[in-house]
């Protein structure tokens, strides 16, 4: 559990970080951006990654903090999970972020791991990517060439792969405030308190007059990247989530039975694809029921 | 260092809280003392093997086989040798002449195949993780980096992963003689008669999955030499056994080899081993003349710490229609892995006599075949053989109850040995000295609320609740306190089962107890101090306990099999008695009285009927000064004792578990857990409580979470804690524990041992509860660990639709306390 040798660079500013990354990109060096290190360091220690250098942006204060942006909340990439959980602004305006963050790993990891690091790492078993996708967050990237905004739908590309270019740093994430009438839930299924999600469901649901007006549902670990359960979102519109009369078909369950459409769940020690598809259906129903 | 982290201050505060200043002589045994060793253990301000730093120390890293089975064509370490900081690099061939073979001390049959087991593979690798080369460097980082410069060419051979396939005629051979290591048989009574025309026969096969013992402290070894003598520090449970075995393996004369187990952070049996790394560290220090250290990483440990369990168990019960058991047949396949290590073949034998559990029967038949596969060898793991036996019989008895429509507690009651029948010689020939299954069961039922939970179960079944409730019972006993040397000899074990203790009275009246047991977290220092304080009438805090260093504790059999208190603690008591005998003789001389007239109480020897007396501390000083001793009296009160037990000890108890099964996801959640254990007399209830809690957690872990998984090529897939799931406190319920106390009659302390009981008892309680919850669905078994996916599949693939109610023809509703 000793990583291979690497250079370590700790820029004093975001500008300097961008410059270092640009130079590395030009030189063709394989560098990795180090945030809280809770995902990257295990990869290094298991010698599953051999970067030439780490660029540590973990102490850049300018990337840390939660700000009210009017129609959105801007979360600095280096804000720790613990800081997210303690933010009254997040709890009030974008509670789904807090609900999911509370399920991330354990207190020690949440004190070091960062919101942006977790998203940029893009582990499909991570909890936050599905939340970002469900809420249509906007990812703010910086490079020596300037800034760029990437919608969540374009950000998660593949297993541990995002739309960030080699010279880019994730600076922050704009999380839209959905406004009144919305209910939220993050339903995580995992085998022990500290294990990764076998499947997770991020749900935001808005009711109007007792029926679903709009639903946003994204799934954790149902493919190489988080995925929106579009079929459920569409089928749920107009459905009453109240328990149906005994014996009648439950339209909520019917809608949620489509949760695994368009997914390609992995097989691992915690479950095969068939089981994960089943879980996605059950957990989506539970998430929607809990959100409304 | 801040005051809060000062181990000494913390120890002092704990001592104050526990009222150490107050007179306590005569009342230590039975007292819930907090452990005197914990301040240094929990603050880490102590010596673990990895803390040991010696001048000129070098660091070892091992290159390990990435293949389960392959011929080694070439090992080239030359590039690694040129790297900065690298002092040496070797392949297996470099040790071929001197490394010998790792020992197996338990050749269970005459015709057992014990393959050569070189500490570093030379010609063939037989499991993923087997050492094939090593680097010795000036720091551990350079050593780790240099491993990547070693080139090894392998010619792949077919892996042998599955035991049944290993025994097929055309299976690739793990070793030339074949994949059957041994077959061991044991039979009592007429088992054919018992099964012939039996009204009921239960025939089941259970899988004891392979487990990875996960001690908190990874293994570590430090070896050094001055050219004449050798010192080996190791995170081991067995410094004494290790010394003997290493002397035999390496040829280093025993008297020039000192083995030190400093504080050791857990073992669970995994450090009851003579390891390749220990042997190679000695060879390296001998070759290089400098101290060497090796500390494993967690992933390296998952691969190369010996594994546990891994048996395929077929168990059959023949019974009468009323549930009375006529006989039991057991046929085991036990996965040895690639080699036979220290007690690998003996593990199933430790369970061989326990498949009858607490039940009376006339016939018993046991067969076990040890099978070689291309996996890490198995060996002792908490309970070693007895958890497997208890699981099989307790699961099968539940199946019998189901078959007969009886309550599982009632079936047990109809079969168990009643308290009037002790001592009871079982069909297997073991004499259970004492016990009271009725009392423990009655108390457990009462604490559990058995009837209430059964009513809720019926109600959930009635309304087809997606969350079903199951109740699991486990009425276990085990044989521990290893062990009468005679019995070990009859089972072909290579050593005895005695234990040694020395008690030294220091001139100032303080006491040093030297024990041959080697604690790795159990609290021997506290418990031995309590025993000594009572026996000698000295204050608890005046006793210190020395252990784990063969130069300090010259004689011992170490720690495993819940033996420390039952054998080692009794040796301490016996040595104290000898000290007292000497003190009495000295007191009689000083007081000019007959020894017969000297009475001992509260640490003082007094002439009967007078106030004239001497304290044991005064007598210690008198013996030290030696100015006025009886003729021929050697100037010491010190004494030693080697205790060899006449019998095993047999803790027992009743564990009850309620599990909620979410039938939609398959998740099993323990709702409540009650354990009533009878471990005989108790020296320290707090230590017992800790052992029971940890033991239950470990048994629950086998039922729900842990499994070493290999792919078809023999690669271990569970090399990290993200894949090999160890439950934490958040994953476990609050346990309700209580005790009944039926003193052992086989030792003067009346103790039975508690190190393994919780683990042995809990696994079947949990699985019985899960299966009980799912009986209406037609589920008869769920393979361990009962993962959500396995439970969900068991439901999906079961034959029956959920019935509205459970088994209806329950003959006898068990009322709380009804088994009293």
């Amino acid at each position: 559990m000793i990583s291979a040798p690497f250079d370590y660079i700790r820029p004093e500013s975001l500008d300097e970080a961008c410059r270092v990354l640009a130079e590395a990109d030009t030189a063709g060096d394989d560098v990795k951006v180090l945030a809280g290190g809770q995902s990257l360091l295990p990869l290094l220690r298991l010698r599953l990654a051999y970067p030439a250098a780490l660029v540590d942006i973990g102490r850049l204060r300018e990337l840390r903090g939660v700000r009210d942006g009017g129609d959105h909340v801007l979360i600095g990439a280096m804000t720790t999970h613990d800081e997210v959980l303690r933010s009254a602004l997040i709890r009030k305006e974008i509670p789904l972020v807090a609900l999911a963050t509370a399920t991330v790993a354990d207190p020690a990891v949440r004190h070091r791991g960062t919101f942006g690091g977790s998203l940029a790492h893009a582990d499909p078993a991570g909890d936050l990517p599905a939340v970002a996708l469900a809420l249509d967050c906007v990812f703010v990237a910086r490079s020596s060439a300037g800034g760029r905004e990437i919608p969540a739908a374009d950000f998660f590309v593949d297993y541990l792969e995002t739309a960030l270019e080699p010279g880019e740093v994730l600076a922050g994430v704009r999380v839209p405030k959905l406004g009144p009438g919305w209910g939220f839930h993050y339903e995580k299924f995992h085998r022990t308190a500290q294990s990764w999600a076998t499947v997770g469901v991020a749900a935001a649901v808005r009711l109007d007059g007792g029926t679903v007006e709009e639903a946003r549902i994204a799934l954790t670990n149902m493919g190489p990247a988080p995925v929106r359960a579009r079929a459920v979102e569409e089928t749920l519109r107009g459905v009453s989530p109240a328990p149906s009369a005994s014996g009648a078909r439950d339209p909520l369950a019917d809608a949620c039975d489509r949760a695994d459409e368009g997914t390609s769940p992995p097989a691992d020690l915690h479950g095969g694809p068939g089981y994960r598809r089943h879980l996605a259906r059950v957990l989506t129903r539970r998430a929607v029921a809990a959100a409304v | 260092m801040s005051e809060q982290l000062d181990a000494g201050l913390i120890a002092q505060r704990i001592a104050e809280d526990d009222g150490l200043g107050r007179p306590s002589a005569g009342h230590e045994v039975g007292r819930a003392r907090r452990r005197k060793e914990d301040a240094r253990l929990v603050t880490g301000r102590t010596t673990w093997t990895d803390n040991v730093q010696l001048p000129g120390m070098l660091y070892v890293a091992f290159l390990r086989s990435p293949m389960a089975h392959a011929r080694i064509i070439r090992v080239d370490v030359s590039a690694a040798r040129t790297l900065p900081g690298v002092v040496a690099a070797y392949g297996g061939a470099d040790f071929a002449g001197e490394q010998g073979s790792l020992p197996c001390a338990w050749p269970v049959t005459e015709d057992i195949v014990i393959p050569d087991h070189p500490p570093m593979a030379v010609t063939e690798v037989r499991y993923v993780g087997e050492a094939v080369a090593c680097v010795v460097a000036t720091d551990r980082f350079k050593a780790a980096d240099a491993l990547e410069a070693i080139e090894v060419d392998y010619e792949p051979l077919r892996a042998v992963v599955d035991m049944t396939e290993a025994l097929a005629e055309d299976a690739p051979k793990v070793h030339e003689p074949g994949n059957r290591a041994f077959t061991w048989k044991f039979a009592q009574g007429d088992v054919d008669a018992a099964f012939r025309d039996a009204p009921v026969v239960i025939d089941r096969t259970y899988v004891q999955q392979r487990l990875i013992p996960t001690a908190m402290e990874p293994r570590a070894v430090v070896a050094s030499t001055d050219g004449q003598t050798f010192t080996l520090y190791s995170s081991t449970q067995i410094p004494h056994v290790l010394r003997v075995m290493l002397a035999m393996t390496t040829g280093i004369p025993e008297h020039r080899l000192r083995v030190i187990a400093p504080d050791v952070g857990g073992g669970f049996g995994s450090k009851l081993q003579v390891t390749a790394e220990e042997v190679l560290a000695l060879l390296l220090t001998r070759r290089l003349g400098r101290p060497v250290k090796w500390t494993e990483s967690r992933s390296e440990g998952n691969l190369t710490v010996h594994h546990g369990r891994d048996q395929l168990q077929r168990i059959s019960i023949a019974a009468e229609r009323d549930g009375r058991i006529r006989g039991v047949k057991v046929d085991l396949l036990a996965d040895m892995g690639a080699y036979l290590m220290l007690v690998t073949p003996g593990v199933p034998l430790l369970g061989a006599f326990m498949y009858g559990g607490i039940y009376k029967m006339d016939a018993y038949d046991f067969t076990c075949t040890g099978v070689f596969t291309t996996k890490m060898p198995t060996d002792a793991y908490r309970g070693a053989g007895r958890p497997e036996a208890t699981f099989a019989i307790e699961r099968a008895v539940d199946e019998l109850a189901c078959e007969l429509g009886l309550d599982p507690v009632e079936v047990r009651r109809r079969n168990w040995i009643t308290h009037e029948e002790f001592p009871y010689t079982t069909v297997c020939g073991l004499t259970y000295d004492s016990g009271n299954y009725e009392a423990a069961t009655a108390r457990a039922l009462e604490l559990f609320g058995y009837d209430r939970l059964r009513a809720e179960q019926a109600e959930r079944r009635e309304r087809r609740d997606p969350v079903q409730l199951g109740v699991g019972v486990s009425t276990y006993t085990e044989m521990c306190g290893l062990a009468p040397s005679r019995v070990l000899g009859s089972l072909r074990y290579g050593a005895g089962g005695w234990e040694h203790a020395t008690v030294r009275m220091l001139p100032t009246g303080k006491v040093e107890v030297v024990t041959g047991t080697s604690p790795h977290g159990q609290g021997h220092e506290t418990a031995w101090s309590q025993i000594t304080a009572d026996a000698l009438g000295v204050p608890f805090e005046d006793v210190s306990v020395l252990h784990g260093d063969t130069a300090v504790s010259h004689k011992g059999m170490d720690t495993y099999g819940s033996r420390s208190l039952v054998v080692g603690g009794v040796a301490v008591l016996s040595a104290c008695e000898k000290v007292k005998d000497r003190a009495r003789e000295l007191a009689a001389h000083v007081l000019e009285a007959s020894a017969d007239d000297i009475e001992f109480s509260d640490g003082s020897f007094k002439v009967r009927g007078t106030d004239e007396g001497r304290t044991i501390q005064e007598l210690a000083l008198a013996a030290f000064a030696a100015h006025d001793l009886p003729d021929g009296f050697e100037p010491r009160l010190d004494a030693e004792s080697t205790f060899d037990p006449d019998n095993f000890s047999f803790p027992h108890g009743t564990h009850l578990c309620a599990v909620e099964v979410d039938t939609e996801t398959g998740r099993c959640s323990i709702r409540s857990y009650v354990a009533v254990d009878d471990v005989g007399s108790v020296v320290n209830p707090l230590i017992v409580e800790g052992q029971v809690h940890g033991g239950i957690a470990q048994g629950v872990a086998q039922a729900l979470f842990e499994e070493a998984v290999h792919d078809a090529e023999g690669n271990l897939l569970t090399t990290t804690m993200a894949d090999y799931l160890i439950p934490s406190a958040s994953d476990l319920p609050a346990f309700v524990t209580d005790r009944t106390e039926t003193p052992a009659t086989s030792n003067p302390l009346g103790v039975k041992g508690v190190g393994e009981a919780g683990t042995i008892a809990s696994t079947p309680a949990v699985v019985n509860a899960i299966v009980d919850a799912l009986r209406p669905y037609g589920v008869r078994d769920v393979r361990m660990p009962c993962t959500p996916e396995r439970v969900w599949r068991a439901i999906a693939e079961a034959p029956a639709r959920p019935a509205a109610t459970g088994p209806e023809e329950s003959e006898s509703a068990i009322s709380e306390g009804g088994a009293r």
Side-chain angles (χ1 to χ4, degrees), chain A residues 1-5 46-47 50 189-195 269-272 275 278-279 282 285-286, chain B residues 140-141 144-145 148 297 299 662 664-665 667 704-705 709 718 722-723 725 728 730-731 787-789 792-793:
Chain A
M1 297 289 271
I2 293 171
S3 64
L46 291 165
R47 299 204 174 204
Y50 288 78
F189 191 88
H190 51 159
R191 285 184 57 202
T192 63
Q194 293 176 37
S195 36
L269 295 173
H270 305 313
Y275 178 60
H278 168 78
L279 273 186
V282 171
R285 194 190 75 222
R286 291 182 181 181
Chain B
R140 63 197 187 105
F141 309 103
D145 290 343
E148 299 198 352
S297 69
S299 294
D662 181 341
E664 290 185 328
T665 63
R667 179 191 291 289
L704 295 180
F705 300 112
V709 183
T718 49
D723 304 307
L725 298 187
S728 62
S730 341
D731 302 302
T787 64
E789 182 172 22
W792 174 72
R793 286 196 184 283

XYZ file of all heavy atoms in Angstrom, chain A residues 1-5 46-47 50 189-195 269-272 275 278-279 282 285-286, chain B residues 140-141 144-145 148 297 299 662 664-665 667 704-705 709 718 722-723 725 728 730-731 787-789 792-793:
422
model
N 0.843 -1.202 0.000
C 0.000 0.000 0.000
C 0.873 1.244 0.000
O 0.656 2.178 0.751
C -0.904 0.003 1.235
C -1.877 -1.147 1.291
S -3.173 -0.990 0.065
C -4.400 -0.052 0.988
N 1.909 1.202 -0.829
C 2.769 2.376 -0.964
C 2.699 2.802 -2.420
O 2.936 1.990 -3.320
C 4.214 2.055 -0.558
C 4.258 1.752 0.946
C 5.143 3.206 -0.911
C 5.574 1.220 1.427
N 2.373 4.071 -2.654
C 2.205 4.518 -4.033
C 3.566 4.598 -4.719
O 4.611 4.665 -4.077
C 1.534 5.887 -4.053
O 2.386 6.815 -3.425
N 3.509 4.578 -6.045
C 4.730 4.812 -6.814
C 5.143 6.275 -6.621
O 4.334 7.106 -6.236
C 4.458 4.508 -8.279
N 6.416 6.598 -6.903
C 6.861 7.996 -6.703
C 6.101 8.948 -7.615
O 5.738 8.591 -8.736
C 8.345 7.946 -7.092
C 8.725 6.512 -7.114
C 7.495 5.734 -7.389
N -2.829 1.650 -4.106
C -3.011 0.320 -4.695
C -2.262 0.195 -6.020
O -2.315 -0.839 -6.677
C -4.505 0.041 -4.913
C -5.312 -0.154 -3.629
C -6.808 -0.061 -3.896
C -4.977 -1.490 -2.965
N -1.567 1.244 -6.397
C -0.826 1.300 -7.671
C -1.736 1.010 -8.858
O -1.358 0.306 -9.801
C 0.399 0.377 -7.637
C 1.372 0.802 -6.525
C 2.803 0.373 -6.770
N 3.666 0.948 -5.709
C 4.956 1.177 -5.823
N 5.595 0.878 -6.935
N 5.643 1.717 -4.843
N -0.619 5.854 -11.831
C 0.806 6.227 -11.753
C 1.013 7.632 -12.307
O 1.705 7.806 -13.307
C 1.664 5.254 -12.572
C 1.825 3.871 -11.997
C 0.821 2.918 -12.098
C 3.019 3.508 -11.361
C 0.976 1.648 -11.573
C 3.189 2.230 -10.839
C 2.159 1.312 -10.950
O 2.320 0.047 -10.433
N -28.857 2.386 -1.199
C -28.837 0.998 -0.734
C -27.397 0.532 -0.721
O -26.723 0.492 -1.754
C -29.661 0.108 -1.678
C -29.893 -1.268 -1.132
C -30.974 -1.540 -0.311
C -29.009 -2.311 -1.423
C -31.187 -2.814 0.207
C -29.215 -3.576 -0.900
C -30.304 -3.832 -0.092
N -26.911 0.200 0.458
C -25.542 -0.294 0.560
C -25.458 -1.322 1.671
O -26.302 -1.364 2.547
C -24.538 0.839 0.744
C -24.855 1.804 1.840
N -23.921 2.605 2.416
C -26.016 2.104 2.472
C -24.482 3.356 3.338
N -25.731 3.071 3.393
N -24.438 -2.168 1.606
C -24.439 -3.342 2.481
C -23.977 -3.041 3.881
O -24.454 -3.653 4.840
C -23.604 -4.463 1.857
C -24.348 -5.121 0.700
C -23.587 -6.284 0.147
N -23.290 -7.274 1.162
C -22.304 -8.162 1.059
N -21.542 -8.175 -0.017
N -22.097 -9.034 2.013
N -23.010 -2.184 4.053
C -22.644 -1.748 5.402
C -22.629 -0.224 5.393
O -22.630 0.395 4.323
C -21.258 -2.257 5.842
O -20.277 -1.696 4.966
C -21.158 -3.776 5.801
N -22.597 0.328 6.591
C -22.729 1.777 6.712
C -21.677 2.504 5.891
O -21.909 3.608 5.403
C -22.634 2.173 8.182
N -20.491 1.895 5.755
C -19.413 2.610 5.083
C -19.214 2.169 3.641
O -18.304 2.645 2.981
C -18.110 2.415 5.855
C -18.179 3.091 7.218
C -16.950 2.834 8.035
O -15.850 2.790 7.523
N -17.138 2.671 9.329
N -20.039 1.248 3.144
C -19.762 0.805 1.781
C -20.418 1.714 0.746
O -21.311 2.499 1.046
C -20.134 -0.660 1.571
O -21.272 -1.016 2.286
N -19.308 -7.633 -6.581
C -19.589 -8.506 -5.448
C -20.867 -8.116 -4.711
O -21.414 -8.906 -3.967
C -18.405 -8.480 -4.469
C -17.105 -9.064 -5.013
C -15.973 -8.834 -4.032
C -17.272 -10.551 -5.301
N -21.335 -6.890 -4.921
C -22.507 -6.450 -4.177
C -23.806 -6.674 -4.953
O -24.875 -6.442 -4.423
C -22.357 -4.989 -3.780
C -21.099 -4.739 -3.009
N -20.702 -5.542 -1.965
C -20.128 -3.819 -3.159
C -19.542 -5.115 -1.493
N -19.167 -4.079 -2.205
N -23.697 -7.095 -6.196
C -24.919 -7.379 -6.927
C -24.683 -7.521 -8.414
O -23.819 -6.846 -8.976
N -25.456 -8.400 -9.031
C -25.409 -8.546 -10.479
C -26.332 -7.531 -11.126
O -27.099 -6.844 -10.454
N -30.136 -7.960 -10.363
C -30.507 -7.511 -9.017
C -30.523 -5.985 -8.964
O -31.423 -5.375 -8.386
C -29.529 -8.087 -8.003
C -29.783 -7.638 -6.579
C -30.992 -7.898 -5.948
C -28.794 -6.955 -5.867
C -31.215 -7.493 -4.645
C -29.010 -6.551 -4.557
C -30.223 -6.819 -3.947
O -30.442 -6.406 -2.657
N -33.618 -4.614 -10.490
C -34.729 -4.771 -9.552
C -34.658 -3.714 -8.450
O -35.660 -3.072 -8.115
C -34.700 -6.182 -8.957
C -35.615 -6.364 -7.794
N -36.973 -6.547 -7.941
C -35.380 -6.346 -6.452
C -37.527 -6.648 -6.741
N -36.595 -6.534 -5.825
N -33.438 -3.548 -7.892
C -33.282 -2.553 -6.828
C -33.652 -1.167 -7.317
O -34.290 -0.390 -6.598
C -31.824 -2.533 -6.343
C -31.405 -3.497 -5.242
C -29.968 -3.192 -4.832
C -32.323 -3.410 -4.023
N -37.386 -0.771 -7.155
C -37.913 -0.688 -5.787
C -37.490 0.624 -5.119
O -38.302 1.318 -4.495
C -37.401 -1.887 -4.947
C -37.761 -1.709 -3.479
C -37.958 -3.189 -5.485
N -39.256 3.768 -6.402
C -40.588 3.904 -5.809
C -40.486 4.468 -4.394
O -41.208 5.379 -4.017
C -41.266 2.519 -5.776
C -42.766 2.599 -5.499
C -43.332 1.218 -5.246
N -42.962 0.734 -3.937
C -42.563 -0.507 -3.664
N -42.469 -1.390 -4.625
N -42.246 -0.851 -2.435
N -39.517 3.941 -3.640
C -39.370 4.423 -2.258
C -38.905 5.874 -2.223
O -39.332 6.659 -1.371
C -38.378 3.535 -1.498
C -38.937 2.139 -1.261
C -37.988 1.269 -0.472
N -38.559 -0.071 -0.304
C -37.974 -1.051 0.350
N -36.773 -0.856 0.913
N -38.558 -2.227 0.466
N 11.177 1.545 3.467
C 10.131 0.676 2.923
C 9.587 1.186 1.596
O 9.034 0.420 0.811
C 9.011 0.473 3.949
C 8.261 1.714 4.343
C 7.490 1.471 5.656
N 6.614 2.593 5.973
C 5.288 2.539 5.802
N 4.709 1.446 5.355
N 4.537 3.586 6.096
N 9.781 2.494 1.352
C 9.288 3.043 0.088
C 10.174 2.576 -1.073
O 9.685 2.188 -2.122
C 9.243 4.571 0.178
C 8.512 5.047 1.399
C 9.201 5.525 2.512
C 7.132 4.961 1.462
C 8.521 5.931 3.644
C 6.450 5.356 2.588
C 7.140 5.835 3.689
N 9.386 -1.012 -1.767
C 8.144 -1.212 -2.530
C 8.352 -0.865 -4.003
O 7.881 -1.582 -4.897
C 7.023 -0.356 -1.934
N 9.060 0.232 -4.258
C 9.291 0.638 -5.658
C 10.125 -0.407 -6.401
O 9.883 -0.691 -7.581
C 10.025 1.984 -5.719
C 9.132 3.140 -5.275
O 7.908 2.938 -5.235
O 9.671 4.216 -4.963
N 8.890 -3.516 -8.486
C 8.422 -3.425 -9.877
C 9.536 -3.699 -10.882
O 9.269 -3.880 -12.065
C 7.786 -2.053 -10.120
C 6.581 -1.850 -9.203
C 5.645 -0.743 -9.645
O 5.999 -0.017 -10.592
O 4.570 -0.625 -9.046
N 0.746 -4.782 4.361
C -0.366 -3.867 4.116
C -1.653 -4.665 4.286
O -1.642 -5.894 4.321
C -0.293 -3.291 2.706
O -0.557 -4.311 1.755
N -4.083 -5.082 2.182
C -4.398 -5.919 1.021
C -3.479 -7.137 0.970
O -3.897 -8.240 0.607
C -4.267 -5.116 -0.271
O -5.252 -4.120 -0.303
N -36.391 -7.549 4.547
C -37.098 -6.749 3.548
C -37.189 -7.609 2.286
O -36.204 -7.783 1.575
C -36.319 -5.456 3.292
C -37.007 -4.561 2.266
O -37.857 -5.053 1.499
O -36.670 -3.360 2.231
N -38.483 -7.139 -0.463
C -38.352 -6.449 -1.749
C -36.889 -6.269 -2.148
O -36.549 -6.283 -3.321
C -39.035 -5.081 -1.686
C -40.546 -5.187 -1.617
C -41.220 -3.834 -1.673
O -40.644 -2.839 -1.188
O -42.335 -3.767 -2.202
N -36.040 -6.045 -1.163
C -34.615 -5.802 -1.479
C -33.729 -6.952 -1.017
O -32.576 -7.050 -1.432
C -34.101 -4.538 -0.779
O -34.184 -4.736 0.637
C -34.899 -3.313 -1.183
N -32.699 -7.201 2.016
C -31.879 -6.767 3.140
C -32.362 -7.397 4.448
O -33.553 -7.436 4.728
C -31.921 -5.246 3.298
C -31.101 -4.768 4.486
C -31.348 -3.313 4.812
N -30.834 -2.408 3.805
C -29.528 -2.180 3.596
N -28.635 -2.799 4.312
N -29.139 -1.337 2.674
N -23.807 -12.500 7.687
C -24.357 -11.450 6.822
C -23.367 -10.782 5.874
O -23.772 -10.267 4.833
C -24.990 -10.346 7.690
C -26.209 -10.718 8.531
C -26.695 -9.509 9.311
C -27.326 -11.264 7.648
N -22.093 -10.726 6.221
C -21.221 -9.796 5.494
C -19.976 -10.409 4.850
O -19.637 -10.086 3.721
C -20.767 -8.668 6.426
C -21.896 -7.860 7.001
C -22.194 -7.919 8.352
C -22.664 -7.057 6.171
C -23.237 -7.174 8.882
C -23.712 -6.310 6.690
C -24.000 -6.368 8.050
N -13.858 -14.100 -1.712
C -14.377 -14.545 -3.009
C -13.224 -14.686 -3.991
O -12.393 -13.774 -4.121
C -15.405 -13.526 -3.556
C -15.990 -14.033 -4.871
C -16.504 -13.277 -2.539
N -11.572 -10.127 -3.044
C -11.862 -9.314 -1.854
C -10.558 -8.920 -1.168
O -10.271 -9.343 -0.056
C -12.759 -10.097 -0.884
O -12.188 -11.409 -0.712
C -14.165 -10.238 -1.402
N -13.149 -2.446 0.957
C -14.335 -2.048 0.200
C -15.059 -3.278 -0.335
O -16.248 -3.230 -0.633
C -13.949 -1.123 -0.951
N -14.335 -4.382 -0.460
C -14.919 -5.602 -1.017
C -15.140 -6.674 0.047
O -16.069 -7.460 -0.038
C -13.994 -6.182 -2.098
C -13.700 -5.174 -3.174
O -14.662 -4.624 -3.730
O -12.512 -4.923 -3.446
N -16.313 -7.121 3.463
C -17.064 -6.220 4.331
C -17.004 -6.654 5.787
O -17.434 -7.737 6.144
C -18.522 -6.165 3.882
C -18.763 -5.630 2.472
C -20.258 -5.483 2.226
C -18.058 -4.303 2.252
N -19.324 -2.593 11.096
C -18.922 -1.694 12.178
C -20.099 -1.574 13.142
O -21.153 -2.172 12.919
C -18.540 -0.328 11.612
O -19.663 0.245 10.980
N -22.192 0.604 13.513
C -23.434 1.091 12.878
C -24.234 -0.026 12.232
O -25.417 0.142 11.971
C -23.125 2.122 11.795
O -21.856 2.657 11.931
N -23.584 -1.130 11.931
C -24.267 -2.213 11.226
C -24.811 -3.275 12.173
O -25.352 -4.284 11.725
C -23.298 -2.878 10.239
C -22.746 -1.878 9.257
O -23.549 -1.246 8.554
O -21.511 -1.711 9.202
N -26.323 -12.186 1.777
C -26.314 -10.844 1.194
C -27.718 -10.518 0.721
O -28.524 -11.410 0.463
C -25.370 -10.768 -0.011
O -25.880 -11.643 -1.033
C -23.962 -11.195 0.355
N -28.010 -9.229 0.564
C -29.334 -8.867 0.054
C -29.646 -9.582 -1.258
O -30.752 -10.086 -1.436
C -29.227 -7.347 -0.124
C -28.217 -6.922 0.893
C -27.223 -8.050 0.959
N -28.672 -9.656 -2.149
C -28.963 -10.302 -3.437
C -29.288 -11.784 -3.243
O -30.210 -12.312 -3.858
C -27.787 -10.151 -4.399
C -28.106 -10.786 -5.758
C -27.073 -10.526 -6.832
O -25.922 -10.213 -6.487
O -27.419 -10.629 -8.016
N -32.765 -12.095 -1.768
C -33.768 -11.752 -2.788
C -33.923 -12.898 -3.785
O -35.027 -13.282 -4.140
C -33.326 -10.460 -3.485
C -34.202 -10.081 -4.637
C -35.477 -9.598 -4.575
C -33.860 -10.183 -6.026
N -35.947 -9.391 -5.851
C -34.979 -9.730 -6.762
C -32.710 -10.588 -6.715
C -34.980 -9.689 -8.152
C -32.707 -10.547 -8.100
C -33.838 -10.099 -8.813
N -32.806 -13.474 -4.189
C -32.870 -14.591 -5.139
C -33.530 -15.812 -4.506
O -34.276 -16.543 -5.155
C -31.476 -14.965 -5.635
C -30.933 -13.967 -6.604
C -29.740 -14.458 -7.409
N -29.269 -13.357 -8.237
C -29.866 -12.954 -9.354
N -30.944 -13.587 -9.783
N -29.405 -11.921 -10.029
